[in-house]
Amino acid sequence: GYRVLPLEEKDSRARWEAWLFDAHSSIPEDRRALAASVSTMIAFDYVTANWDRWSGGNVAEDSPTGRVLFVDNDGAFYEGPDPAALARERAMLQRVTRFSRRFVAALRRINQASVRDALGDEAVGVPLVSERVVRGVIARCDAVVGMVDARIGDAGEADTLVFE
């Protein structure tokens, strides 16, 4: 049931960008789950410094469930993320006006220990990523939460945290 979603195609991209970047646009009820997933994916990619999302075919759907799959994440968790790529990700994220309440709540709970635990070890006692990478993830989590809080301050919680 794996099916690549054409989110990068011009018409498709114009639709989801309107849903997420224009706070006054309406999201069709049958597309809310997709809009929520794309919003979360944009923030997730910034947190993980994944530079490779929009290079083609990196978003799919599990056809039987309709669940969006963020695939090909090997562009994430680099020791020193490319500053230009990170700036592009941040610029896209700054345009997002609608976020998932649950995802933002999860970001608020993240700390260095939880990141280390989630990423695990390459071998017993050998962390998969360095402390520098963990600190970068935490800093970007804090940045996303700051952007969301600023948006809440401007537009209100109900118009910012619109997805569960």
Side-chain angles (χ1 to χ4, degrees), residues 119-142:
L119 294 175
D121 291 341
E122 185 170 357
V124 176
V126 180
L128 184 61
V129 299
S130 71
E131 283 302 306
R132 179 179 177 201
V133 171
V134 172
R135 285 191 307 272
V137 168
I138 297 301
R140 289 185 298 275
C141 278
D142 292 345

Side-chain angles (χ1 to χ4, degrees), residues 99-106 108 157-158 160-164:
F99 295 90
S100 160
R101 180 178 302 278
R102 187 175 17 192
F103 181 72
V104 172
R108 292 183 193 282
E157 187 171 312
T160 303
L161 301 177
V162 301
F163 308 119
E164 270 315 301

Side-chain angles (χ1 to χ4, degrees), residues 65-123:
T65 65
R67 184 179 193 117
V68 175
L69 308 170
F70 309 166
V71 297
D72 191 12
N73 293 290
D74 62 344
F77 301 111
Y78 275 82
E79 188 69 28
D82 176 55
L86 202 53
R88 282 190 306 273
E89 291 173 32
R90 184 178 178 96
M92 179 182 278
L93 177 63
Q94 288 174 317
R95 295 180 63 200
V96 175
T97 63
R98 296 167 166 161
F99 295 90
S100 160
R101 180 178 302 278
R102 187 175 17 192
F103 181 72
V104 172
L107 288 179
R108 292 183 193 282
R109 292 189 304 270
I110 288 177
N111 58 47
Q112 287 187 348
S114 66
V115 171
R116 275 194 236 77
D117 289 347
L119 294 175
D121 291 341
E122 185 170 357

